[in-house]
Amino acid sequence: MRKIIGGLLVCLLLLVGIGAGTVFHREGLMGLERLLYGHAGTGISIHAEGSVPSAAMKQVQDASDMFQQLAGEQMGTPIHQAVDVFVCEDQASYQSTLQRAFDLSEDDAKQIADVSGGWTGASRQVTAINASAGVMSTRSDHYATTGHELFHQLQYELSRGHDTDDQALFWLEEGSADYVGAVVAERLHGRSVEKWKRDALDDLLTAAHPATPQDVQHCTAEQRKQLMARAFHTYSLADVMTAYLLAHYAKGQECGQLAAYFRQLGESGSGEQAFAQTFGLPLDAFLQEFSAWWAQKQTAGAQVQIETREGVSSAISGKLQRELAASQQLLARQMGMRWHGEYELILARDQADLEKAAIESLDIDAKKAKELASSSLWIENGSTILVNASQLGDDRQLAFSTAVLVLRAAAAESSGQTAKEKDIAWLTRGMGYLFGTRRVVEMGEANMPAYRKTWRVKLQQAGRIPELASIASEKGYQEAVGKFGDETISALSELACLELHTKYGWNRYARYVKAVQQTENAEKAFRAVYGVSVGQFAQQCMADLARGF
């Protein structure tokens, strides 16, 4: 990653040359660095900064080797210049390395360390990688980040230093680095390139006000700092634009054409000219075409590709596809909401197979996979959804579960909230269950008054129930499940959401999730849409329940 962080002085960017496209020529210092780091000649040298786990070092080394192989085979050349890659033990080590290797102040190094998992100064021939960063939690993260940073080194070499903000196309510079990182990860049996594409699209669709293609062409230092704001999802846009470009104008020769673009950039010094010469159409024409495609993607319904693992009946796949369509239609009709994007839904045979699928498809460790598979019917990870087919049950259960999944996915996309810790737990779960029930009622299997009565009976039989306010947080919800049981807490959540639905209708919930996207605060959004605070509604709801008992 080569990014300019809010708060860095513009003069620093001009003097130091660490961001994407900032070129820094100090031959004397570069010679000194070779002496300090003990690396002369050509090729990539990997260094451990601190006590880096051997597995992380091996993953970076494997990715480095794979990158050089990929570059030699598909880009015409590996990296020739001498490059030092520093793999850092932790945040403190990463910050210290950034400060030393890039001549940064302590404050500036900290700002970079806080938002990045890797950093490259191609003119300095130095890359730093934080092996412990949150974005480096899996081996695929190590593979992809290493490939990304090394491609920045090759961009500089191929373009002969013309990969600067005023010459190179910013979106293609960053998007191509992410693409190459994804290829490296896939070649090393990590996450697939297709998942990288879908995840980028999924992330971009959650943005309330994403950057536009026009925003990510040439950036000044100040513009780059502004684009770094999380709300713009700038790097996801760059990835989606790059994926579209390669699929339509470089299919089958993606890496070779990316390398050709940077060679042309070295010849012409113009990103626009290099683009037209490499991909065969003017940049303006491409941007117009992409913008039309993106506008269509923002309104189209979700495309779900279902895959069945060994032992799963193909009949279940067909039923699930029909229920996905029915639930999306109900969602549009009842709430005016749409679920967008592209997804891969994998049906696992049973809990054990769900664990295995999570390890294979999501690149998570066995302990985490076991924890997730034992606690839920499905596991969501970006654009990938894993489902335990053995728990789908009969047609009614299948319809209920599918509707819950569709509403949860659509709400997460519309609100931009993917972290459970930021949700109102009883509202998210309760509305999902209520929507699933609505789908079953639509099938003619039951009626809502009967369900309401059933939920009240469950709470009466439980005797003692928690306050609704106590299960607003994810932690509180889980603690209540452990103490009172899942059925009791589910019934309480369903009744609370039925109360909301009865008073305000389904459309109010759709307005709520959009308000969450705008405010980035679920409780503020609740008050704005429903006219009361979460706490006030909880008190009213508990009083109503008490009278009903």
Side-chain angles (χ1 to χ4, degrees):
M1 178 169 61
R2 297 190 291 179
K3 302 178 178 179
I4 306 302
I5 308 306
L8 288 182
L9 297 176
V10 174
C11 63
L12 174 69
L13 301 172
L14 297 175
L15 293 173
V16 179
I18 57 171
T22 305
V23 182
F24 183 65
H25 299 287
R26 286 173 61 185
E27 303 302 330
L29 178 58
M30 289 174 63
L32 177 60
E33 286 173 341
R34 301 277 75 77
L35 293 175
L36 290 173
Y37 302 146
H39 183 200
T42 62
I44 301 167
S45 182
I46 313 293
H47 312 274
E49 290 290 309
S51 301
V52 181
S54 58
M57 288 299 294
K58 183 178 186 304
Q59 288 157 7
V60 172
Q61 184 65 64
D62 288 346
S64 175
D65 293 342
M66 180 56 72
F67 175 86
Q68 290 289 68
Q69 180 182 332
L70 173 69
E73 291 174 355
Q74 296 191 20
M75 301 183 208
T77 179
I79 292 174
H80 288 298
Q81 65 181 0
V83 172
D84 289 290
V85 177
F86 296 94
V87 185
C88 305
E89 172 189 7
D90 52 24
Q91 188 80 352
S93 174
Y94 182 50
Q95 180 179 328
S96 175
T97 301
L98 290 173
Q99 188 175 351
R100 183 191 75 237
F102 298 101
D103 285 347
L104 297 177
S105 70
E106 183 177 348
D107 287 345
D108 293 333
K110 183 179 187 305
Q111 289 182 48
I112 293 173
D114 285 345
V115 299
S116 67
W119 198 263
T120 286
S123 63
R124 288 170 171 263
Q125 301 165 237
V126 175
T127 287
I129 292 174
N130 183 354
S132 69
V135 294
M136 301 285 280
S137 58
T138 70
R139 63 190 179 98
S140 287
D141 295 329
H142 285 95
Y143 295 153
T145 298
T146 303
H148 174 111
E149 299 301 337
L150 290 179
F151 191 57
H152 278 318
Q153 296 282 0
L154 189 58
Q155 289 171 355
Y156 177 83
E157 192 171 317
L158 292 173
S159 69
R160 294 181 290 179
H162 288 282
D163 57 336
T164 57
D165 285 339
D166 60 335
Q167 296 178 80
L169 300 174
F170 165 70
W171 65 270
L172 190 51
E173 192 173 20
E174 290 299 332
S176 65
D178 275 347
Y179 173 78
V180 171
V183 173
V184 168
E186 182 177 77
R187 280 191 162 207
L188 290 168
H189 309 291
R191 286 192 297 266
S192 70
V193 173
E194 287 304 311
K195 178 166 173 55
W196 167 75
K197 293 178 185 177
R198 292 193 309 267
D199 283 353
L201 178 63
D202 180 59
D203 180 72
L204 188 58
L205 284 166
T206 68
H209 303 290
T212 69
Q214 289 71 30
D215 294 329
V216 293
Q217 301 308 313
H218 299 289
C219 305
T220 65
E222 188 59 34
Q223 288 170 335
R224 183 186 286 269
K225 286 192 292 182
Q226 294 172 1
L227 287 171
M228 285 300 299
R230 184 172 63 89
F232 296 130
H233 296 246
T234 302
Y235 284 80
S236 291
L237 174 62
D239 289 352
V240 172
M241 291 177 69
T242 299
Y244 181 89
L245 172 69
L246 296 179
H248 290 81
Y249 296 98
K251 195 169 183 62
Q253 49 184 344
E254 293 87 349
C255 290
Q257 287 296 86
L258 291 175
Y261 163 78
F262 285 99
R263 288 192 180 93
Q264 289 288 350
L265 180 62
E267 293 292 331
S268 67
S270 165
E272 287 81 356
Q273 187 175 334
F275 183 94
Q277 290 173 333
T278 303
F279 299 106
L281 78 165
L283 178 61
D284 287 346
F286 170 77
L287 294 177
Q288 184 176 4
E289 178 184 322
F290 172 81
S291 295
W293 173 87
W294 171 232
Q296 185 273 330
K297 275 292 178 185
Q298 290 174 288
T299 58
Q303 298 175 347
V304 184
Q305 177 183 339
I306 299 177
E307 295 186 10
T308 57
R309 289 173 62 86
E310 185 177 356
V312 178
S313 169
S314 58
I316 295 179
S317 175
K319 288 181 179 180
L320 180 58
Q321 194 68 265
R322 289 190 289 275
E323 276 305 322
L324 285 167
S327 292
Q328 289 188 71
Q329 291 168 6
L330 180 63
L331 184 68
R333 193 166 59 250
Q334 292 289 132
M335 297 190 186
M337 289 177 63
R338 296 293 297 272
W339 180 31
H340 309 97
E342 299 175 3
Y343 297 85
E344 178 185 41
L345 191 153
I346 301 173
L347 288 169
R349 183 178 60 256
D350 50 29
Q351 182 177 319
D353 193 41
L354 187 63
E355 289 180 34
K356 187 176 180 182
I359 294 170
E360 294 173 356
S361 300
L362 309 181
D363 193 25
I364 59 178
D365 61 44
K367 181 180 179 181
K368 184 64 174 178
K370 185 178 183 65
E371 174 189 335
L372 293 172
S374 64
S375 62
S376 182
L377 166 64
W378 70 77
I379 301 171
E380 299 171 61
N381 180 280
S383 64
T384 303
I385 304 171
L386 309 178
V387 179
N388 183 346
S390 70
Q391 293 186 17
L392 291 177
D394 58 17
D395 289 350
R396 182 159 69 170
Q397 181 63 45
L398 175 64
F400 174 84
S401 299
T402 304
V404 175
L405 187 156
V406 167
L407 179 61
R408 292 256 193 105
E413 176 195 297
S414 295
S415 67
Q417 294 277 43
T418 56
K420 289 182 178 179
E421 293 74 14
K422 297 181 179 179
D423 284 341
I424 299 171
W426 62 260
L427 180 60
T428 299
R429 285 174 169 78
M431 277 297 181
Y433 300 149
L434 192 63
F435 186 70
T437 302
R438 178 67 184 83
R439 171 62 188 136
V440 173
V441 169
E442 183 181 58
M443 294 170 64
E445 295 289 335
N447 60 73
M448 197 63 75
Y451 274 109
R452 181 184 184 126
K453 182 177 179 180
T454 299
W455 297 333
R456 283 185 171 274
V457 168
K458 284 182 181 179
L459 294 187
Q460 287 175 324
Q461 292 174 341
R464 192 166 59 93
I465 62 174
E467 292 290 325
L468 183 63
S470 71
I471 61 172
S473 70
E474 178 66 18
K475 180 181 179 182
Y477 192 97
Q478 294 300 335
E479 288 176 350
V481 167
K483 187 174 182 180
F484 298 96
D486 184 64
E487 287 197 2
T488 297
I489 304 307
S490 294
L492 177 58
S493 300
E494 287 162 332
L495 281 169
C497 289
L498 182 58
E499 184 79 4
L500 277 177
H501 163 61
T502 302
K503 288 183 177 180
Y504 303 104
W506 287 110
N507 285 340
R508 195 65 68 94
Y509 184 67
R511 285 172 53 190
Y512 160 77
V513 296
K514 293 303 294 183
V516 172
Q517 185 187 55
Q518 297 294 330
T519 64
E520 298 187 349
N521 186 301
E523 293 195 3
K524 286 183 179 179
F526 188 95
R527 179 186 284 276
V529 171
Y530 291 107
V532 295
S533 71
V534 177
Q536 288 170 335
F537 174 78
Q539 288 180 340
Q540 295 171 8
C541 188
M542 294 303 294
D544 291 343
L545 286 174
R547 283 193 294 271
F549 292 161

